[in-house]
Amino acid sequence: RCEKTARWQRNPFLHLDQGGAVMAYYIWIDGSGENMRGKTRTLLRKPNSVGDLPEWNYDGSSTNQSTGENSDVLLKPVAFYRDPFRGGDNILVMCETLCPDGTPHPTNKRSACKEKMDLVSEHRPWFGIEQEYTMFASNGVHPYCWPENGYPGPQGPYYCGVGANRCMAER
């Protein structure tokens, strides 16, 4: 057996017969506005649409979304996708958070965004993700070509810069 086999490939529990059940991993953004949370619910059959997914809840006092009193936060499924980690018919369920009365939770930024997007849906906006990378010098401490003691000059000349003295190791 090869020792370089990835840990998930060696996990025999990922390939157990689920008897037609589906593991639905509900995912939401917590009170920080940055961290994702999630928990798994077993469904007796594969859903065909978001409407087939039940709402769920969790204790918001553990996720910085409520105090100890009346701490339930509702999870409303808004989309689901095949789970690439668990495979099979298992799914990842993207959720928005709601207060116990069904109104959007104060930390739910998706609701306000969707409301605005629905108003301009005929415009079909595009979104992109800007990926930035930092190469480190061989010492593993400083970014490549930065001075070892201190910082380089202001961003101006480097941002979208041109020339060997501005853009080190750029392709």
Side-chain angles (χ1 to χ4, degrees):
R1 185 170 188 149
C2 178
E3 287 303 314
K4 293 187 179 188
T5 303
R7 193 174 293 150
W8 64 269
Q9 290 174 316
R10 293 189 307 238
N11 186 344
F13 301 108
L14 286 177
H15 304 291
L16 291 176
D17 179 16
Q18 294 178 207
V22 173
M23 288 187 287
Y25 190 64
Y26 281 54
I27 301 169
W28 69 96
I29 298 173
D30 73 7
S32 72
E34 297 176 7
N35 299 321
M36 291 191 298
R37 302 287 183 131
K39 63 182 193 171
T40 300
R41 180 174 190 148
T42 302
L43 305 175
L44 297 180
R45 63 183 177 281
K46 181 178 176 180
N48 294 314
S49 70
V50 165
D52 294 339
L53 295 166
E55 288 188 1
W56 205 8
N57 69 322
Y58 63 94
D59 178 2
S61 66
S62 299
T63 60
N64 296 318
Q65 289 173 293
S66 72
T67 60
E69 298 176 13
N70 196 17
S71 62
D72 275 358
V73 177
L74 303 177
L75 291 171
K76 179 182 177 185
V78 294
F80 70 96
Y81 304 92
R82 292 182 64 187
D83 186 336
F85 307 106
R86 292 178 173 163
D89 288 333
N90 300 310
I91 56 175
L92 302 176
V93 182
M94 306 298 123
C95 299
E96 68 177 329
T97 53
L98 304 175
C99 295
D101 64 3
T103 59
H105 192 274
T107 62
N108 177 351
K109 306 302 182 207
R110 181 194 178 279
S111 180
C113 179
K114 183 176 183 327
E115 186 178 309
K116 301 294 186 238
M117 296 300 291
D118 286 347
L119 292 174
V120 294
S121 61
E122 72 277 3
H123 295 292
R124 299 180 49 167
W126 288 12
F127 296 91
I129 298 173
E130 179 183 8
Q131 295 183 10
E132 295 186 8
Y133 302 90
T134 302
M135 293 175 54
F136 282 86
S138 60
N139 66 12
V141 176
H142 298 93
Y144 184 68
C145 290
W146 272 35
E148 288 193 29
N149 298 311
Y151 298 92
Q155 174 176 286
Y158 305 100
Y159 180 74
C160 297
V162 176
N165 63 335
R166 301 268 193 258
C167 303
M168 314 315 187
E170 188 173 302
R171 277 190 122 187

